[in-house]
Amino acid sequence: MLRRRLNRWLGGEERRVDSRTIYVGSRSANEAFIPPKFCDNRIVSSKYTVWNFLPKNLFEQFRRIANFYFLIIFLVQVIVDTPTSPVTSGLPLFFVITVTAIKQGYEDWLRHKADNEVNKYPVTVLEGGRRIRKESEKIKVGDVVEVEEDETFPCDLVLLQSSKEDGTCFVTTASLDGESNHKTHYTVPDIDEDLESLSATVECEQPQPDLYKFVGRMHIDKIQDPTVRSLGPENLLLKGATLKNTQKICGVAVYTGMETKMALNYQGKSQKRSAVEKSINAFLLVYLCILVSKALVCTTLKYVWQSNPGQDEPWYNEKTQKEKDTNFYLKMFTDFLSFMVLFNFIIPVSMYVTVEMQKFLGSYFITWDKDFFDPEIKEGALVNTSDLNEELGQVEYVFTDKTGTLTQNNMEFVECCIDGFQYKYRDANSDLDGICTTDGPVNKVRQKAVEEREELFLRALCLCHTVQVKEPTEQGHSQREEDMVDGLGVDGHLVHPVQEQRGFIASSPDEVALVKGAMRYGFTFMGLESKTMKILNRNNDVETYDLLHVLHFDPVRRRMSVIVRSKSGDILLFCKGADSSIFPRVRPEEVEKIRMHVERNATEGYRTLCVAYKLLSAEEYAQADAGLREARLVLQDREERLMAVYNQVETGMSLIGATAVEDRLQEEAAETMEALQGAGMKVWVLTGDKMETAKSTCYACRLFQKNTELLELTVRTLENGERRREERLYELLREYHKKAVQDAPPNKAGITRSWSSAGQDFGFIIDGATLSMVLNSSSESTSSHYKNLFLQICQNCTSVLCCRMAPLQKAQIVKMVKNSKGCPITLSIGDGANDVSMILEAHVGIGIKGKEGRQAVRNSDYAIPKLKHLKKLLLAHGHLYYVRISHLVQYFFYKNLCFILPQFLYQFFCGYSQQPLYDAAYLTMYNICFTSMPILAYSLLEQHISIEELLDNAALYREIAKNAMLRWGPFLCWTLLGVFHGLLFFFGVRCLFSNPALQDNGQVFGNWSYGTIVFTILVFTVTLKLALDTRHWTWINHFVIWGSLAFYVFFSFFWGGIIWPFLRQQRLYFVFANMLSSVSAWLVIILLILLSLLPEILLVVFRKPRGPHTRQVVPVTPLSYKHLNEIQ
């Protein structure tokens, strides 16, 4: 140990600053041992504790501008002598803060509850030869933990022992990456069966979030010969994964608690903000300016008015000595603050709570929608964030993955090519069928490859994979057909009956398709036992091969290999991978006869893989074996060293053939894409697949039509010319720019196919290598120029296809479009881990609950079972959410302007004395009780156009594009309406008060009666205005609209009808009842409400139908939105 430390300090060995050392098992008594400190196994996903909840939550809430503003106003009311009670702004603020705190506290309590379930879960730990039950949170790094079948791993464990004889175990990682297929993990070799006597040291990297990466080594202290074994991801069992098909395992804890890979992966995503929120902030600033200007006008006019003789200090209201001694400027400032307090209700603090509730409750309508339920996976839609509901109605660009999103990721073996001869599968009972048409040089005598080559190719398919055979179970017969091994052998004979009940377990659907493809032609993979692979050949003989090494697939190499030893002692390397990865590594003369076949298959939309092999000499194998073993023991740069060895051994191979696997289109994929384009959205397909395959998928999805002119910018087109690549790139960009942008008709530029009849449609195709040249050009100015040309071309094409994309490039493209001129709203949709970066980058990220795992779903804002559901999500839900929340925001500003404008006008008639027009109770209750529920119900249930109409006429989506309802034009209209209503309320009631005797007994009304009449007209007008705007009536709308008005009348009688002991002065005592005893007051109230709503009523009566897109009014139904699908 001391030597290791000295080596580390002096740099004698490789540097291991990023590693940790873990001691396993018993230590000898004479060895000094200080256990290193690691974190405990508690999981903490909660944000607050009992002690910090109040300060932390209040701090977070007061970071909001509106909350902080109202806090300042409240403090001013408390400190300065203001005309209104501090309760008027304190109570609404307290309500808002309390509701938000309760919501966030409840959410955090649920997180605490979930954490406790995990932390208190009982686990078995081996200590001193005894099995002890402990709570999960008490596991320490270095503990040996026992896990039984179907249990979840409590922390990250290195697998030491398995109940299976071959030292393997099966694991599902559904809760980590969503992949439901079984993964195989291996025990560390040379571990004694008796774990009590085990003494070992594990050196591994420090915790990091990559689920698929783990580097370490284990020093096993044995008396005879201490050994060192490499540790990789295949030895690591992750917390959250579940043990399957294995009775029990034992493993040593290496990462615990918040250092496990699962915990490191659950770090918060960056907060996405919707365009509506930005509009609200802009409107808020305008209203703040209106508020300040009102306060300035009143303060100035007050002092102008008081400068007249006798006005400042009338005989009936002499100043006190204290008032006379007050500093003039200080008095002016306090007057300004008092006016600010008086008019502060123009800023709608309760709007934030209403918007929060609308988003939170509104998101349930997506999860409740029965149309999103998929009977296959028995799941519906999922909402991970409710902050972006309205953004679904503003999407301009859709970025979609291909495999698993546009296609089903359900692979089926279609055909193969061996030595240039095409083989199409026709019938499971027949022998290998050679089809006459060949892609290579036609040999008229034989139309099949040599049998030896056929068998070599099929052996490669049976051996070059990581597929496991699932053991037969009692329920074997009832398993799903597609997971079962096809029991038919050659000439219709059944293979071993047990084989019928076996299913295949693989990490990729492609691998199962290829193994099943080989079965159809008589070669059946029997399974892997103790590093021995078994194959049942055409003659029903079992062949065995020793599996020496697996060179795993990775997205950079785009291939995988196995090294096996046959019974005869030959050492063979079998390799399969993408054509671009295999062709440079085989003999050039073999490539041509296969290339035509691969390209034709890709054009037909099939996924193609090439298969090659190499016979290794003893020296070559010894060199490769030593290189692999050495690289696997390294802690630093292990992957780079392994890659170097892989590349060295995978050269000079011989190409045998290629396979074609079909991945069918998702149901209604074409209709969905057509609808999105009809709604004005640009669809970009970003895929790692080959150009030909992706292009045929685009044609099948109707993204490209027969008349679409394709502009191709790929490595192939760059190499056509004789110039350097970069010159050719610039030349092509300029040529395409002239064609698609400069020469395009003015009305055509930027318009998608679906509503343009004239002009040529363009489709754009680019590959990853060319995109790198565009984005990372040699000089910055050139790169920016290329980017601009590229973007302008793409924006004028109906569809764009980006193929051979790396995950990071997908995110780069989304970012580039997102930050382009006009900042268009982007949406990314994908189903795999490789789509996560673009899902996180886009304004709205949508995951599909597909077969490539649930990483995309976990990182998305919304998740849907199938691509077809995207149409309704955007065209119906998105459209309605945007219209509802836009109306909510505009309505809130309008009703508060109506509320405060009469208060402002009143100052001109009361000597700018800061006299309130309304009673404190009305000021407090206006936004909280009298007008809040109708707009919340409207913003949840309104359907100004029926859902069927929205889905049938995709073009309706374009009417609300680019934040159309929250631009300055509509905002100005609402503001002018508020000003008109405010003026009408105030001066209408003033006309009434010009009559000196309003009551039967000849008495006059006072100032509180004046304010109450104005307030009554105000409440009824703004509520009935909303009723006129409502197109879709449910019983909830009726209840809240008429209920709010009834509550206002009841409250006014109640508040004024009782002497309240806690009030110093009771301004409204019997004012409301007295007011209603006057016929004149009744007449004015009814007349002014009708006059205010007259423009709205005329608009409803004389509104003309608008051609094919007539706004449909849905009939009144006494059902809630949740059950809407049942009645439609």
Side-chain angles (χ1 to χ4, degrees):
M1 198 165 93
L2 184 64
R3 190 172 70 242
R4 270 191 216 134
R5 279 189 180 170
L6 282 170
N7 273 331
R8 193 178 303 164
W9 291 334
L10 302 173
E13 256 182 87
E14 53 173 319
R15 288 167 62 236
R16 279 197 295 275
V17 284
D18 292 331
S19 66
R20 56 163 56 184
T21 304
I22 298 152
Y23 299 101
V24 188
S26 53
R27 318 292 312 162
S28 58
N30 58 1
E31 190 177 341
F33 170 59
I34 304 164
K37 285 194 175 178
F38 301 109
C39 78
D40 59 21
N41 198 35
R42 273 184 310 141
I43 286 289
V44 182
S45 65
S46 53
K47 223 166 138 182
Y48 308 107
T49 64
V50 175
W51 309 111
N52 73 9
F53 175 70
L54 215 58
K56 197 172 177 182
N57 187 265
L58 288 175
F59 173 72
E60 285 173 359
Q61 291 207 55
F62 284 119
R63 281 163 66 185
R64 264 199 160 150
I65 297 170
N67 289 351
F68 186 69
Y69 162 77
F70 264 82
L71 179 67
I72 298 295
I73 291 290
F74 173 69
L75 294 174
V76 167
Q77 284 178 293
V78 171
I79 297 161
V80 180
D81 183 23
T82 54
T84 55
S85 158
V87 174
T88 56
S89 58
L91 196 62
L93 179 66
F94 176 74
F95 174 74
V96 167
I97 296 294
T98 307
V99 168
T100 311
I102 289 169
K103 175 179 170 272
Q104 291 177 346
Y106 174 68
E107 286 174 353
D108 205 60
W109 176 75
L110 291 177
R111 283 194 284 267
H112 271 284
K113 200 174 161 191
D115 289 348
N116 273 338
E117 277 179 26
V118 174
N119 294 334
K120 303 294 180 190
Y121 186 80
V123 293
T124 306
V125 178
L126 304 182
E127 276 184 16
R130 289 180 302 132
R131 298 165 78 252
I132 297 170
R133 293 294 273 178
K134 277 187 179 181
E135 289 177 347
S136 173
E137 64 185 1
K138 291 180 179 167
I139 294 174
K140 299 189 294 293
V141 170
D143 281 353
V144 176
V145 181
E146 184 180 283
V147 180
E148 295 188 349
E149 188 171 3
D150 292 327
E151 283 187 344
T152 302
F153 302 119
C155 54
D156 290 354
L157 304 166
V158 165
L159 181 57
L160 299 177
Q161 205 176 71
S162 168
S163 59
K164 289 177 88 73
E165 288 176 14
D166 58 359
T168 63
C169 75
F170 293 121
V171 166
T172 57
T173 53
S175 60
L176 293 166
D177 56 12
E179 294 182 15
S180 55
N181 39 42
H182 293 50
K183 294 185 174 68
T184 311
H185 288 260
Y186 301 91
T187 53
V188 181
D190 302 325
I191 298 280
D192 292 334
E193 277 189 31
D194 181 18
L195 291 180
E196 287 176 44
S197 60
L198 175 69
S199 174
T201 310
V202 174
E203 282 182 279
C204 59
E205 61 187 358
Q206 291 292 4
Q208 51 103 344
D210 191 336
L211 295 176
Y212 308 105
K213 188 166 179 271
F214 175 67
V215 174
R217 60 186 170 204
M218 192 169 190
H219 301 264
I220 302 164
D221 304 328
K222 288 186 178 178
I223 299 163
Q224 291 86 9
D225 55 327
T227 53
V228 181
R229 290 293 174 211
S230 70
L231 303 176
E234 69 278 4
N235 307 117
L236 187 71
L237 305 169
L238 300 178
K239 178 184 175 71
T242 308
L243 184 66
K244 292 285 182 188
N245 285 26
T246 312
Q247 283 179 358
K248 69 174 182 182
I249 61 100
C250 292
V252 59
V254 284
Y255 304 128
T256 50
M258 298 310 289
E259 291 182 340
T260 57
K261 289 185 182 285
M262 184 177 88
L264 294 173
N265 269 282
Y266 281 129
Q267 286 164 345
K269 305 193 289 260
S270 61
Q271 195 64 38
K272 294 180 180 180
R273 286 175 66 217
S274 72
V276 168
E277 211 172 310
K278 293 165 192 168
S279 297
I280 291 175
N281 290 341
F283 297 162
L284 207 61
L285 286 173
V286 171
Y287 270 64
L288 267 172
C289 294
I290 293 173
L291 171 65
V292 172
S293 55
K294 276 183 178 180
L296 281 172
V297 166
C298 285
T299 309
T300 310
L301 291 176
K302 176 176 182 169
Y303 284 92
V304 169
W305 187 71
Q306 288 183 354
S307 64
N308 296 331
Q311 300 284 22
D312 185 24
E313 195 176 1
W315 60 269
Y316 55 84
N317 192 14
E318 289 186 2
K319 288 184 177 179
T320 61
Q321 190 59 43
K322 189 183 176 184
E323 285 177 322
K324 287 176 182 175
D325 295 341
T326 308
N327 180 295
F328 174 75
Y329 291 107
L330 181 64
K331 176 129 182 58
M332 190 181 269
F333 180 65
T334 55
D335 277 332
F336 171 73
L337 287 179
S338 296
F339 280 119
M340 286 282 285
V341 167
L342 192 63
F343 303 142
N344 83 78
F345 286 93
I346 198 169
I347 305 295
V349 68
S350 59
M351 178 180 72
Y352 281 95
V353 167
T354 313
V355 166
E356 286 281 325
M357 288 173 74
Q358 191 268 351
K359 288 182 173 184
F360 177 68
L361 297 172
S363 62
Y364 280 104
F365 297 146
I366 292 177
T367 53
W368 284 337
D369 194 325
K370 289 182 177 176
D371 289 349
F372 290 157
F373 183 78
D374 184 48
E376 258 183 65
I377 58 169
K378 294 186 169 51
E379 285 183 50
L382 177 72
V383 178
N384 290 328
T385 172
S386 57
D387 291 340
L388 302 169
N389 293 343
E390 64 278 5
E391 210 82 324
L392 294 170
Q394 293 296 294
V395 176
E396 293 171 63
Y397 283 85
V398 175
F399 298 93
T400 171
D401 175 42
K402 184 185 79 72
T403 307
T405 306
L406 291 175
T407 61
Q408 292 177 11
N409 201 11
N410 189 8
M411 309 299 175
E412 195 174 317
F413 185 87
V414 177
E415 61 177 80
C416 59
C417 158
I418 306 172
D419 276 354
F421 294 92
Q422 181 188 4
Y423 292 77
K424 265 202 171 169
Y425 170 69
R426 277 193 247 175
D427 180 13
N429 297 344
S430 67
D431 199 354
L432 202 57
D433 292 315
I435 306 299
C436 295
T437 52
T438 61
D439 297 310
V442 180
N443 183 329
K444 288 182 182 176
V445 180
R446 69 184 168 86
Q447 291 156 358
K448 291 170 68 169
V450 180
E451 191 171 340
E452 190 186 323
R453 296 287 282 183
E454 279 180 10
E455 293 192 354
L456 186 65
F457 176 80
L458 293 169
R459 281 192 187 98
L461 293 189
C462 280
L463 295 170
C464 188
H465 54 70
T466 54
V467 174
Q468 296 282 334
V469 174
K470 194 173 181 181
E471 291 304 320
T473 57
E474 287 175 28
Q475 296 85 19
H477 293 286
S478 62
Q479 286 181 10
R480 287 185 307 163
E481 201 177 311
E482 64 266 23
D483 289 335
M484 296 302 296
V485 171
D486 189 347
L488 285 171
V490 193
D491 302 323
H493 297 303
L494 285 172
V495 292
H496 197 278
V498 173
Q499 197 66 24
E500 284 183 86
Q501 297 172 20
R502 291 190 174 191
F504 287 136
I505 300 166
S507 54
S508 154
D510 292 75
E511 295 214 302
V512 174
L514 295 178
V515 171
K516 286 185 176 180
M519 280 186 64
R520 287 170 172 172
Y521 300 125
F523 272 75
T524 304
F525 174 58
M526 303 281 288
L528 172 72
E529 286 174 27
S530 308
K531 296 280 182 183
T532 303
M533 299 180 91
K534 292 182 181 176
I535 296 176
L536 190 72
N537 65 20
R538 287 177 178 173
N539 306 320
N540 274 1
D541 297 329
V542 175
E543 299 178 8
T544 57
Y545 294 86
D546 294 331
L547 179 62
L548 303 173
H549 288 285
V550 177
L551 281 54
H552 289 283
F553 176 86
D554 69 71
V556 181
R557 281 166 62 237
R558 296 179 65 82
R559 61 184 183 275
M560 66 112 17
S561 303
V562 292
I563 301 176
V564 295
R565 184 189 285 118
S566 68
K567 253 186 177 176
S568 59
D570 293 336
I571 296 174
L572 297 156
L573 175 133
F574 289 110
C575 179
K576 70 166 188 248
D579 55 316
S580 57
S581 165
I582 299 281
F583 285 167
R585 303 186 162 271
V586 297
R587 300 185 195 111
E589 64 271 13
E590 295 174 334
V591 170
E592 280 316 304
K593 53 187 177 183
I594 304 287
R595 189 194 298 275
M596 289 164 64
H597 176 90
V598 169
E599 285 177 1
R600 181 180 55 74
N601 277 337
T603 311
E604 289 168 6
Y606 298 142
R607 290 164 66 88
T608 57
L609 283 176
C610 294
V611 180
Y613 90 107
K614 179 182 180 181
L615 191 61
L616 296 175
S617 65
E619 295 77 28
E620 282 177 315
Y621 172 68
Q623 191 183 348
D625 182 55
L628 288 167
R629 287 180 190 277
E630 187 185 329
R632 282 176 183 148
L633 284 176
V634 171
L635 287 187
Q636 300 289 323
D637 307 322
R638 179 184 289 184
E639 287 181 358
E640 288 76 3
R641 294 210 194 175
L642 279 172
M643 202 69 72
V645 182
Y646 289 171
N647 289 336
Q648 190 183 337
V649 74
E650 292 170 332
T651 48
M653 296 185 290
S654 173
L655 188 62
I656 323 171
T659 61
V661 171
E662 185 181 18
D663 188 6
R664 292 201 178 96
L665 277 187
Q666 286 267 14
E667 56 181 300
E668 294 177 38
E671 292 83 349
T672 304
M673 292 298 115
E674 214 164 29
L676 297 186
Q677 288 193 321
M681 293 174 233
K682 301 279 180 64
V683 181
W684 292 36
V685 178
L686 311 181
T687 177
D689 222 332
K690 284 183 282 297
M691 186 187 85
E692 290 77 12
T693 312
K695 191 159 70 172
S696 64
T697 304
C698 286
Y699 275 113
C701 288
R702 300 179 206 160
L703 291 172
F704 295 158
Q705 303 277 16
K706 283 182 181 174
N707 63 338
T708 306
E709 186 179 339
L710 297 181
L711 310 175
E712 193 181 315
L713 195 66
T714 58
V715 174
R716 191 169 66 186
T717 54
L718 293 184
E719 286 173 349
N720 280 354
E722 293 172 10
R723 304 182 186 188
R724 283 192 316 116
R725 268 190 177 188
E726 198 149 319
E727 288 174 17
R728 177 74 178 143
L729 173 69
Y730 183 55
E731 182 190 307
L732 278 173
L733 279 171
R734 282 181 57 189
E735 180 191 322
Y736 293 160
H737 186 267
K738 185 174 185 304
K739 196 181 282 188
V741 183
Q742 294 167 9
D743 297 348
N747 65 327
K748 176 74 177 78
I751 291 180
T752 44
R753 170 196 316 123
S754 306
W755 67 93
S756 63
S757 50
Q760 173 66 48
D761 279 332
F762 292 105
F764 192 72
I765 301 175
I766 188 168
D767 62 9
T770 316
L771 184 74
S772 296
M773 289 174 70
V774 172
L775 298 180
N776 315 315
S777 185
S778 46
S779 71
E780 210 167 295
S781 57
T782 322
S783 179
S784 147
H785 183 52
Y786 283 179
K787 240 190 240 182
N788 286 339
L789 285 175
F790 170 66
L791 256 177
Q792 285 175 32
I793 296 165
C794 290
Q795 285 166 345
N796 283 277
C797 291
T798 51
S799 296
V800 177
L801 166 61
C802 306
C803 44
R804 295 291 197 196
M805 290 281 126
L808 198 63
Q809 285 182 312
K810 292 184 178 185
Q812 280 179 323
I813 284 193
V814 175
K815 189 175 183 178
M816 180 174 70
V817 174
K818 189 170 93 170
N819 298 332
S820 65
K821 190 181 174 185
C823 299
I825 304 295
T826 55
L827 177 145
S828 290
I829 179 166
D831 73 318
N834 59 336
D835 305 314
V836 168
S837 51
M838 75 168 181
I839 284 171
L840 291 176
E841 186 60 56
H843 291 96
V844 183
I846 295 188
I848 285 187
K849 299 176 174 184
K851 297 191 177 181
E852 281 192 29
R854 291 289 168 96
Q855 249 174 316
V857 170
R858 260 211 342 268
N859 288 281
S860 65
D861 303 306
Y862 301 89
I864 49 177
K866 294 269 173 71
L867 176 77
K868 65 176 180 179
H869 299 135
L870 184 64
K871 179 181 174 182
K872 187 174 184 185
L873 187 69
L874 298 185
L875 301 192
H877 287 284
H879 186 117
L880 293 172
Y881 279 131
Y882 175 73
V883 170
R884 289 165 185 163
I885 204 159
S886 304
H887 202 284
L888 182 149
V889 170
Q890 301 279 29
Y891 178 80
F892 253 98
F893 282 110
Y894 147 79
K895 76 183 177 75
N896 280 37
L897 185 59
C898 293
F899 180 42
I900 289 302
L901 187 61
Q903 176 77 73
F904 171 66
L905 296 170
Y906 188 55
Q907 297 309 302
F908 290 85
F909 298 90
C910 67
Y912 312 100
S913 61
Q914 298 145 14
Q915 168 67 31
L917 178 62
Y918 312 116
D919 180 65
Y922 285 162
L923 284 170
T924 307
M925 304 281 280
Y926 177 70
N927 275 324
I928 295 177
C929 298
F930 300 150
T931 58
S932 60
M933 291 310 290
I935 184 62
L936 179 62
Y938 176 95
S939 66
L940 288 171
L941 306 170
E942 174 60 5
Q943 288 181 43
H944 62 301
I945 306 176
S946 71
I947 286 179
E948 289 93 341
E949 181 76 2
L950 287 170
L951 293 174
D952 290 345
N953 295 321
L956 288 170
Y957 190 88
R958 296 202 306 274
E959 294 178 8
I960 57 161
K962 298 186 185 294
N963 208 10
M965 292 178 70
L966 284 175
R967 288 197 196 144
W968 292 109
F971 175 69
L972 191 63
C973 292
W974 279 93
T975 305
L976 290 173
L977 184 67
V979 170
F980 164 65
H981 283 177
L983 290 168
L984 193 63
F985 301 159
F986 185 81
F987 289 109
V989 177
R990 193 169 179 278
C991 288
L992 168 73
F993 270 68
S994 59
N995 174 5
L998 290 173
Q999 298 188 61
D1000 298 342
N1001 58 10
Q1003 287 182 347
V1004 293
F1005 278 159
N1007 65 319
W1008 295 113
S1009 298
Y1010 188 98
T1012 305
I1013 295 174
V1014 171
F1015 192 78
T1016 305
I1017 298 165
L1018 163 75
V1019 170
F1020 272 80
T1021 303
V1022 296
T1023 307
L1024 292 173
K1025 158 89 176 83
L1026 191 66
L1028 284 170
D1029 287 342
T1030 304
R1031 297 280 173 274
H1032 176 66
W1033 285 87
T1034 66
W1035 66 266
I1036 296 175
N1037 297 83
H1038 283 290
F1039 178 75
V1040 294
I1041 285 175
W1042 314 123
S1044 292
L1045 295 177
F1047 175 72
Y1048 164 67
V1049 174
F1050 169 77
F1051 176 83
S1052 299
F1053 274 120
F1054 184 68
W1055 183 247
I1058 297 172
I1059 295 173
W1060 299 99
F1062 54 84
L1063 292 178
R1064 274 184 299 175
Q1065 67 262 26
Q1066 193 144 346
R1067 297 157 171 174
L1068 284 194
Y1069 186 66
F1070 263 86
V1071 166
F1072 192 75
N1074 206 27
M1075 174 193 87
L1076 291 184
S1077 67
S1078 166
V1079 178
S1080 308
W1082 274 94
L1083 182 67
V1084 161
I1085 289 169
I1086 293 166
L1087 199 63
L1088 288 179
I1089 290 171
L1090 286 172
L1091 273 174
S1092 303
L1093 297 174
L1094 191 63
E1096 195 75 19
I1097 293 165
L1098 291 173
L1099 199 69
V1100 171
V1101 171
F1102 295 111
R1103 180 186 282 141
K1104 289 182 181 177
R1106 302 171 308 144
H1109 306 321
T1110 311
R1111 285 175 183 259
Q1112 290 192 356
V1113 180
V1114 179
V1116 179
T1117 75
L1119 292 173
S1120 70
Y1121 184 93
K1122 180 179 176 181
H1123 304 296
L1124 197 65
N1125 288 319
E1126 296 172 24
I1127 61 163
Q1128 283 187 339

